[in-house]
Amino acid sequence: MRRSERARRATLQAALDLCTEKGYGRVTVEAIAARAGVSKKTIYRWWPSKGAVLEAFTDALVDATPFVDTGDIGADLRTHVAGAVRLLSVPPFGPAYGGILSELHHDDVLAQALKDQLVDPRVEEAVARLRSAQDQGQIPPGANLPLAVEMLYGPVYYRHVLRKPVQDEETIADLVAHVLRALGTPGY
């Protein structure tokens, strides 16, 4: 069945807003439906659970963190990481994602959905961008690109989950430089 775009947007926004107000664990499908002005049946037809929260976060993260290729892998990674940091630092996205992450240990369905809908596709895109830089001679052959992705994202999510201060441009630049240096990238 085709979704009403108005109802979809209202549902996604309601899910994010409720996560900010109550935390992911306390958000119910009933509350999302009431806030969005749609029926529970409508939500369950589109999402098997509170998946609207994950879809809304995924849409926002993908929009905020494109993988551009300007020919300068360092600049491109700084731009990419800065987009993720900005998104995670503001409601409703930061609190929603924090709530999602905290529920992963209690909800196997959510953990699998996060892996399938967000983590795996984004890692694949990041590896592809690094591989493109490798093909351009910016990153040495044989560099462990999946490990580089973990090294790049790990500190961002670590700081988010532990509610540490948001990284500034200098910290992001240092992070990118360390990752590129670890790969043996010339000039870093």
Side-chain angles (χ1 to χ4, degrees):
M1 175 168 291
R2 223 176 104 209
R3 294 182 188 185
S4 154
E5 188 56 26
R6 185 216 58 83
R8 177 184 172 274
R9 273 194 239 134
T11 301
L12 296 178
Q13 190 61 53
L16 286 172
D17 290 345
L18 287 166
C19 278
T20 299
E21 294 167 20
K22 299 179 174 202
Y24 180 89
R26 293 190 207 119
V27 173
T28 64
V29 171
E30 291 81 7
I32 294 171
R35 174 76 59 98
V38 300
S39 70
K40 287 187 339 185
K41 183 178 176 183
T42 297
I43 292 176
Y44 283 123
R45 188 179 316 129
W46 297 338
W47 298 282
S49 61
K50 296 185 283 188
V53 176
L54 181 56
E55 183 175 326
F57 180 79
T58 299
D59 289 353
L61 184 67
V62 167
D63 288 346
T65 60
F67 287 98
V68 297
D69 187 346
T70 65
D72 180 345
I73 189 61
D76 294 348
L77 291 177
R78 288 188 299 274
T79 298
H80 174 78
V81 171
V85 167
R86 273 192 305 277
L87 186 76
L88 291 173
S89 68
V90 296
F93 305 106
Y97 197 51
I100 290 168
L101 294 177
S102 70
E103 290 295 315
L104 292 180
H105 298 284
H106 309 288
D107 186 336
D108 292 340
V109 172
L110 176 64
Q112 190 64 49
L114 181 71
K115 181 182 180 312
D116 294 344
Q117 295 172 31
L118 180 63
V119 175
D120 287 352
R122 295 305 280 177
V123 168
E124 287 173 18
E125 287 182 75
V127 168
R129 176 60 190 98
L130 292 171
R131 187 167 293 112
S132 172
Q134 198 173 46
D135 293 344
Q136 296 167 8
Q138 295 179 59
I139 295 175
N144 187 333
L145 303 182
L147 180 58
V149 172
E150 289 187 21
M151 291 168 49
L152 193 63
Y153 286 125
V156 173
Y157 293 111
Y158 161 80
R159 292 178 74 97
H160 177 66
V161 168
L162 295 181
R163 300 179 68 177
K164 292 177 145 294
V166 174
Q167 291 110 322
D168 58 18
E169 284 184 38
E170 185 178 336
T171 305
I172 292 168
D174 284 347
L175 170 62
V176 168
H178 279 288
V179 171
L180 292 175
R181 201 167 24 256
L183 292 175
T185 303
Y188 285 91

